[in-house]
Amino acid sequence: MKAIVVGGGIGGLATAVSLRRVGWEVVVHERAAAFGEIGAGVGVMPNALRALEWMGLTDEVRRLGTPRVSGGVRASDGRWLVHLTDVAGQNVIAIHRADLHGVLLRALPPEILFNNVEVTGVDELDADLVVAADGINSRLRAELLPDAPGPVYAGATAWRGVAPGPCELPLSQTLGPGCEAGVLPLGDGRVCWYVAAVAPASADLDPVALFADWHDPVPELLASTPDVIRHDIYELPLLPTFVGGRVALLGDAAHAMTPYLGQGACMALEDAVTLASVNGDLARYDALRRPRAQSVWKASRMAGKFGIEVRSPVALALRNLAFRAVPPSLAIRGMTRFSSWEVPAEVHSNGSNPVVN
C-alpha cells in the first residue's frame, strides 16, 4: 500500500515515520524549497511522548530536550497562582521545534522526501492514501470540504522567540489583563518564550513596550532576543469530518486550534500514530481522532476565555483567586485530562509492527 503525505512539517513527517512502521510505502511532498521548521519552542506533553515512543524516537527527543517537572501559573507581578513542584509523572520535554522536526526528518530515508512540490489537487496523486498535512490553509481540505468554513481570526496576536542563555528558570505561564506569556527553558540554557495579546488582526504593537512592567524575566527575554517571530492567531472552525475518499486530514489541516493548552503539535503526533495504528482505515481514524481533537480544540478556546481574554480588574481578581484556591492535586488532574491519551489498542507494541528500511 502506498501513501503520499502532503506537507513536511511535524505532523507530515510523523505520519511518514508511523505509516512506514506498519509496512506502508510512503512519499512526502513539501511545497517549500527545503525541509525545515521555523518557530521557537514546543512542549512535548506526555501524550505526545507516548506517540513518539511508539515511533521509537523518545531517546533522541529526550537527549535534545530537557524534562521539566516543576512550574505553574503566575500573575503579571510574578506571584505564583498555581505552583507545581512535582507534577506526578507529567513530564514535559522542552525542545526547539526545529530539533523535534530534525528528529523526525532523520528517521526517514532521503529518497522518499521531495521538496519544491506544489500539490494542487488529489487527482494528480497516485496513491492508495493521501494525507493532507498541509497546514491551516490546506488546499486539499478546501477540495475535500468545499463548503466548510476556512480559518478565522481568534482575536489575539502572538510573538515568539529564543533568548540566549544560560538561564535556569521554571516552566511557567503568566496571565495578565488581556495578555499572557510563556517561558519554556531548553536544556542548553536558552529560553523559548512566547507572549500574546488580545488585539485586532495585524495591529501595530511593540511587545517590548507591552510587557515592560511584567515580572522578571519576561521583559529581559523579549529585549535580549535577536529574532522575534510575530503571527496573528487563527483557528479552524470544527469540521464535520476529517476524511473523504482516500484523503485523511491531519494536524492543523484538520483541527488548527488556539495555543492556550500547548497541544497543537501534540495533536498532530497523536493523529499520525492513530492513522498508522488503524492501518489507514479512514472511517476508524475519523471516529478516533475527530472527537478527541475537537474536545481539545474546545478546551483550548475555553482556556483562552479564562486566561488571555480576561481584562477587567474585578474579573482578574476573581480569576486569580480561583487559581490560588485550586489544590495542586486538582491542578494535576486537570493536566492529565488532556495528556492521558494512549496509542489505540489496534497496535499492541512496536515490536509487532514490520519496519520498512
Side-chain angles (χ1 to χ4, degrees), residues 157-179:
T157 190
W159 297 264
R160 296 174 292 162
V162 180
C167 296
E168 285 294 330
L169 300 169
L171 187 156
S172 65
Q173 178 189 26
T174 300
L175 301 175
C179 298

Side-chain angles (χ1 to χ4, degrees), residues 134-157:
D134 50 343
I136 189 172
N137 295 308
S138 169
R139 291 184 178 183
L140 297 187
R141 183 188 65 240
E143 178 183 347
L144 182 68
L145 302 171
D147 297 326
V152 296
Y153 183 56
T157 190

